[in-house]
Amino acid sequence: MTKAHVLGFPRIGAQRELKFAQEKFWRGEIDEAALTKTGADLRRTHWAWQREAGLDFVAAGDFAWYDQMLNTAVLLGAIPPRFGFDAQKLTLKQYFELARGNTAQPALEMTKWFDTNYHYLVPELDVETRFDGGVDWFFYEVDEARSQGHNTKPVLIGPLTFLYLAKSKTPGLDTLSLLPRVLPAYRRVLEKLAARGVEWVQIDEPILALELAQPWLNAFAPVYRELSQAGLKLLLATYFESVADHSTLLSTLPVAGVHLDLVRAPAQLDAFTAQWPADKVLSLGVVDGRNIWANDLRGSLDTLQAAQARLGDKLWVASSSSLLHSPVDLQNETELDREFVSWLAFARQKLTEVATLKRGLVAGAQSISQALTASDAVQASRRSSSRIHQQAVKARVNGLQASDAQRDSAYPVRQQKQQAWLNLPPLPTTTIGSFPQTAEIRAARAAFKRGNLPAEDYRAAMQAEIRLVVEKQEKLGIDVLVHGEPERNDMVEYFGEQLSGFAFTRNGWVQSYGSRCVKPPILFGDVSRPTPMTVEWSQYAQSLTTKPMKGMLTGPVTILQWSFVRNDLPRSDITLQIALAIRDEVVDLEQAGIRVIQIDEPAFREGLPLKKSDWQTYLAWAGQAFRVSASGVEDETQIHTHMCYSEFNDILPAIAALDADVITIETSRSDMELLAGFGEFAYPNEIGPGVYDIHSPRVPPVDEMLRLIRKAAEVVPAERLWVNPDCGLKTRGWPETEAALNTMLEATRRARLELAKNGVLAVDHSPAKVEISHGECGCAH
Ligand code: GLN
Ligand code: ZN
């Protein structure tokens, strides 16, 4: 029988109930019973929605108090021994300590879930790790769903994905070698589910969408042969990319069904329908789990009907991935107009889309004719709306010339011209842009937004803050100043609000990690810049000082990457539109006398496609977009860029191709190790490797920063080195900020003296101070 289902549902709640309950629990304001009640209430609601919408299953086990990878570790009993917890008696408080650290132990590491903005906790495994089973929370949730009368499909992260994403703490130990131990643990979990009378279990193996090494691929057949013995029907879910390369493997794997993501990779379908075994389910994800656009129901139905001709009732209808990456409920968006709302579907609305499509498939298109007509109207309105389409913008992108993505002269020429007027000392100092955002700044911004603070007063408040920041920087002796970004709460939202083509939701929150949620803007239309966005602030700041003031912009790739993006144009075209808007701002800044301009691209690396074979294409258009944004200015104008987490040694040629005059990167937490690649590659332009970690309030001593400057000078010639913190300072307080910057300036003074005396910096062999910090910065997306 054809079935309708989703791969998972967001857990945060339509009003972020989970976030608020978690945080209250952490602050000791509510007890465990109150927190667990919030979780149970949310699950009850979400399951009821799935059922009411007409799905055949509800997904259970997709809930997590913090993260699904941590949940899997906790289910298997594989928690790091360094915490000293009893895996089988783990308390909720201890679970949160694994996620957030405690006074004795740093938290588990956190990293991005594939190419989403969700972050999972990285399980730590070693040669001793046992998988003897942990707490039974997963089973409680399955039982809970069943006791509420739902046809329940438990959802698990598969053993191979779990091992692949885990980190080996034993040097040289390949996590795949732990398979013989982890497999019985999974088998036990499945048998417990079978004993409860569960029929279908969804097992997620998204690593199949990566370019997996052969040993991992070889493991699939034996693993699933073993797991299929548990007496359940397994639906093996893939998502986020094509798995067409593995169509033979997947069609012969001893599982009862396979799920494909047809939103990300529609073309893969043919590889599967051509040879699909008659007894196996193929679940087709046609409703986008990761974006907010209403489904083109007629288009989806066409796809499904064509597949149905081959698959019959072995065809299931689904979301492309878990809906975890969508906001929860569109019904709360009361401030968007009706036309705009009609273009959208959040998680709850997607449930109905999936169910509707199944109905159309089973009972014929006429049975959903109303929904199809409405959907056609939505598609037509998006194709023709003058809110979306601006011919002038499209024409400008089409008219781009190669020269638009190139500075007038090559870097060495620019460097001379820039040096001539900037006249900076060796090892020039700067910061990344933001300064501490105090409660007063936030309050003023919020009041202005609500209309409770007149524009004049708001401007005065921001100018006062800029004045303060400039004074402090002058007093510290920083060379290239910033205005501090007090007027921005978010580096994408600030620009999105001023560009055409962006819309904002009230409640379109998506979980980023733990209790942290983000509310990405919706990039729905052609992008242009009606008026200058930052010039007034930067000009005001420059008027307060004779030192160069650095203008501060967010780059096109980062704006794209941190938004919900329209699905009717290639991402490359959209990015070029943004690039042109940023270019206009860069040119206006230059004209206003701002001759050092930073274009932040912290999300440049995270835009990389999952498959390495697609990297070059991405890097080419992303790089072009950055250069388009940066190349409208004279040689004398110095373009900076900034990227956080500098693990981009594998894409250094592309970073160099951005041709920024100066790049500032995060390196202090890795003890400058991340800089080594820049040296080996002989990165040609100037670099500012961060000399202190802004994620923690700790103020390192002078020697520590001096040591990092010296280490940097071993790889990058001192003539091309800058000195700066790792990232923006907006989440820090003033006392530690001033103390740290003071220290940074002192370390720089000492380094300069030494350079003047010896022509080089001494090599410092003292060991690194190891300090793991977990905190937020401007880049916590
Ligand atoms: N200019 C921004 C800031 O200083 C950069 C933040 C970021 O890299 N994400 O906050
Ligand atoms: Zn940063």
Side-chain angles (χ1 to χ4, degrees):
M1 273 304 288
T2 289
K3 299 206 186 292
H5 70 125
V6 295
L7 269 50
F9 199 82
R11 45 186 91 107
I12 55 172
Q15 307 293 338
R16 286 181 293 159
E17 291 89 337
L18 186 59
K19 169 199 175 71
F20 298 118
Q22 281 165 322
E23 290 173 355
K24 278 187 192 148
F25 179 72
W26 296 339
R27 289 194 298 263
E29 292 165 21
I30 59 170
D31 61 10
E32 186 167 323
L35 175 61
T36 48
K37 177 167 186 319
T38 302
D41 289 347
L42 286 169
R43 291 191 296 269
R44 178 185 291 275
T45 303
H46 300 160
W47 288 328
W49 286 350
Q50 290 171 55
R51 170 135 144 202
E52 283 157 17
L55 298 185
D56 294 289
F57 295 108
V58 303
D62 54 348
F63 181 84
W65 294 111
Y66 202 97
D67 165 56
Q68 68 249 16
M69 277 292 277
L70 179 60
N71 276 28
T72 311
V74 157
L75 170 67
L76 300 172
I79 58 177
R82 62 186 174 91
F83 283 88
F85 297 155
D86 179 345
Q88 274 141 27
K89 298 202 182 102
L90 193 77
T91 65
L92 202 47
K93 187 168 164 287
Q94 290 173 330
Y95 172 93
F96 286 129
E97 286 175 28
L98 294 169
R100 308 173 67 227
N102 58 27
T103 48
Q105 290 295 327
L108 297 189
E109 254 178 52
M110 195 168 66
T111 194
K112 281 166 71 71
W113 179 245
F114 297 85
D115 59 352
T116 70
N117 277 326
Y118 177 81
H119 301 73
Y120 68 92
L121 289 162
V122 184
E124 292 175 15
L125 307 179
D126 61 41
V127 72
E128 305 279 322
T129 308
R130 322 235 354 133
F131 301 87
D132 292 339
V135 280
D136 281 343
W137 302 346
F138 173 77
F139 300 104
Y140 294 155
E141 287 165 25
V142 172
D143 293 344
E144 196 180 59
R146 290 165 59 82
S147 74
Q148 288 166 27
H150 300 301
N151 188 19
T152 305
K153 177 197 60 178
V155 177
L156 280 168
I157 292 175
L160 290 163
T161 293
F162 178 77
L163 288 179
Y164 189 88
L165 299 179
K167 185 172 171 174
S168 163
K169 299 298 267 187
T170 304
L173 177 84
D174 184 353
T175 54
L176 185 57
S177 69
L178 297 172
L179 197 51
R181 261 183 262 164
V182 90
L183 209 47
Y186 268 89
R187 173 125 184 213
R188 280 194 298 275
V189 169
L190 294 179
E191 281 165 354
K192 280 192 177 180
L193 292 173
R196 284 166 160 80
V198 165
E199 187 187 3
W200 279 93
V201 174
Q202 173 189 320
I203 287 211
D204 290 9
E205 292 284 13
I207 57 166
L208 280 166
L210 307 174
E211 284 157 334
L212 277 186
Q214 204 57 46
W216 288 92
L217 280 173
N218 293 346
F220 273 85
V223 162
Y224 283 90
R225 206 171 304 125
E226 164 79 20
L227 295 185
S228 64
Q229 310 288 312
L232 287 160
K233 293 183 181 156
L234 299 182
L235 177 73
L236 184 116
T238 70
Y239 39 84
F240 299 155
E241 253 307 340
S242 170
V243 292
D245 289 349
H246 312 311
S247 59
T248 308
L249 169 71
L250 287 168
S251 65
T252 53
L253 216 54
V255 291
V258 169
H259 170 87
L260 304 176
D261 180 340
L262 289 194
V263 174
R264 266 304 176 83
Q268 65 176 327
L269 181 56
D270 291 345
F272 288 87
T273 47
Q275 48 157 357
W276 200 245
D279 59 345
K280 213 179 256 193
V281 162
L282 194 62
S283 162
L284 299 184
V286 289
V287 169
D288 196 344
R290 297 182 51 173
N291 213 334
I292 41 73
W293 304 107
N295 192 267
D296 172 6
L297 294 177
R298 195 172 299 274
S300 298
L301 190 61
D302 285 350
T303 304
L304 292 168
Q305 281 173 334
Q308 190 185 35
R310 286 174 169 270
L311 302 168
D313 66 1
K314 293 293 176 192
L315 165 61
W316 287 13
V317 186
S319 58
S320 62
S321 65
S322 168
L323 302 178
L324 177 68
H325 314 289
S326 301
V328 180
D329 192 0
L330 188 57
Q331 277 183 26
N332 302 319
E333 297 306 322
T334 46
E335 277 170 31
L336 296 171
D337 64 82
R338 280 192 41 201
E339 182 191 40
F340 197 86
V341 166
S342 78
W343 296 344
L344 308 178
F346 290 180
R348 188 175 177 190
Q349 288 68 42
K350 289 171 192 288
L351 302 174
T352 304
E353 291 180 340
V354 172
T356 304
L357 285 166
K358 179 207 146 179
R359 206 150 25 91
L361 201 55
V362 173
Q366 70 289 346
S367 69
I368 58 162
S369 61
Q370 259 189 355
L372 288 174
T373 309
S375 172
D376 291 346
V378 165
Q379 301 310 315
S381 110
R382 279 187 64 199
R383 266 193 304 274
S384 63
S385 167
S386 59
R387 296 163 81 178
I388 297 179
H389 303 282
Q390 296 184 48
Q391 279 326 310
V393 173
K394 296 196 210 289
R396 213 175 152 200
V397 167
N398 290 334
L400 275 171
Q401 307 288 316
S403 59
D404 293 325
Q406 216 173 12
R407 299 288 297 272
D408 292 341
S409 307
Y411 167 73
V413 178
R414 303 200 304 266
Q415 187 193 26
Q416 276 191 0
K417 294 189 187 175
Q418 290 164 19
Q419 262 310 330
W421 75 268
L422 272 164
N423 208 7
L424 296 169
L427 306 172
T429 52
T430 191
T431 62
I432 306 306
S434 57
F435 268 94
Q437 296 225 333
T438 56
E440 298 83 73
I441 300 179
R442 291 176 197 274
R445 231 176 22 224
F448 174 58
K449 250 196 155 164
R450 279 197 310 269
N452 294 346
L453 186 68
E456 268 323 297
D457 298 359
Y458 171 71
R459 176 178 311 151
M462 293 301 116
Q463 288 188 341
E465 184 62 29
I466 292 172
R467 215 159 40 237
L468 178 87
V469 164
V470 170
E471 271 165 25
K472 286 195 195 272
Q473 292 173 91
E474 289 208 308
K475 202 159 138 234
L476 285 159
I478 294 178
D479 301 304
V480 173
L481 310 195
V482 297
H483 78 287
E485 307 178 25
E487 77 288 6
R488 307 179 191 179
N489 60 340
D490 178 281
M491 59 187 293
V492 171
E493 186 171 285
Y494 179 77
F495 291 94
E497 280 174 344
Q498 300 185 73
L499 292 166
S500 70
F502 285 84
F504 293 85
T505 61
R506 266 182 86 80
N507 235 335
W509 296 98
V510 180
Q511 188 178 16
S512 171
Y513 63 88
S515 72
R516 185 161 169 119
C517 301
V518 293
K519 189 158 69 63
I522 298 178
L523 199 176
F524 70 91
D526 290 336
V527 176
S528 63
R529 187 202 64 146
T531 49
M533 305 180 282
T534 64
V535 174
E536 217 183 294
W537 301 120
S538 287
Q539 211 169 13
Y540 174 73
Q542 182 67 83
S543 76
L544 303 173
T545 178
T546 53
K547 293 215 168 157
M549 178 60 56
K550 184 161 65 165
M552 200 55 61
L553 304 172
T554 302
V557 180
T558 298
I559 292 180
L560 177 92
Q561 214 40 51
W562 290 350
S563 301
F564 284 119
V565 179
R566 59 194 289 192
N567 55 2
D568 59 343
L569 269 189
R571 286 170 83 80
S572 50
D573 283 14
I574 302 168
T575 315
L576 284 174
Q577 293 186 357
I578 310 170
L580 283 166
I582 299 296
R583 178 189 179 98
D584 292 347
E585 185 73 12
V586 170
V587 169
D588 280 350
L589 280 169
E590 179 187 59
Q591 229 119 70
I594 307 299
R595 309 300 304 269
V596 181
I597 301 165
Q598 178 171 312
I599 306 172
D600 288 324
E601 283 289 23
F604 191 82
R605 192 182 202 293
E606 68 186 53
L608 280 172
L610 289 176
K611 294 191 203 290
K612 258 202 159 142
S613 50
D614 298 328
W615 281 19
Q616 280 321 313
T617 312
Y618 163 77
L619 290 170
W621 63 253
Q624 182 200 7
F626 178 87
R627 291 194 312 276
V628 164
S629 71
S631 299
V633 289
E634 308 281 329
D635 286 345
E636 283 77 4
T637 297
Q638 186 172 66
I639 299 289
H640 290 223
T641 188
H642 166 72
M643 297 182 186
C644 318
Y645 336 106
S646 320
E647 286 160 39
F648 33 51
N649 284 353
D650 45 355
I651 56 166
L652 271 174
I655 302 293
L658 299 179
D659 199 25
D661 297 302
V662 183
I663 182 170
T664 54
I665 54 178
E666 175 182 327
T667 37
S668 79
R669 280 195 284 187
S670 73
D671 195 41
M672 291 287 157
E673 263 169 40
L674 292 170
L675 193 61
F678 282 77
E680 277 157 36
F681 168 75
Y683 181 82
N685 303 5
E686 288 156 69
I687 312 179
V691 298
Y692 81 89
D693 177 14
I694 57 85
H695 301 81
S696 101
R698 173 174 177 269
V699 179
V702 181
D703 287 349
E704 218 176 290
M705 292 200 208
L706 184 58
R707 182 181 161 281
L708 288 179
I709 297 174
R710 287 182 168 141
K711 277 202 83 163
E714 284 173 36
V715 254
V716 177
E719 313 84 74
R720 287 195 275 112
L721 265 189
W722 286 62
V723 178
N724 45 264
D726 265 345
C727 192
L729 300 163
K730 72 175 177 195
T731 56
R732 290 272 64 87
W734 268 115
E736 74 259 22
T737 296
E738 287 192 274
L741 288 176
N742 229 329
T743 310
M744 182 181 98
L745 268 297
E746 178 53 28
T748 310
R749 268 188 289 275
R750 291 193 199 172
R752 283 176 186 159
L753 272 178
E754 198 173 298
L755 263 183
K757 213 163 101 202
N758 306 336
V760 286
L761 290 178
V763 175
D764 189 334
H765 288 297
S766 58
K769 167 99 183 64
V770 186
E771 177 76 35
I772 303 179
S773 55
H774 287 257
E776 290 173 5
C777 67
C779 38
H781 248 268

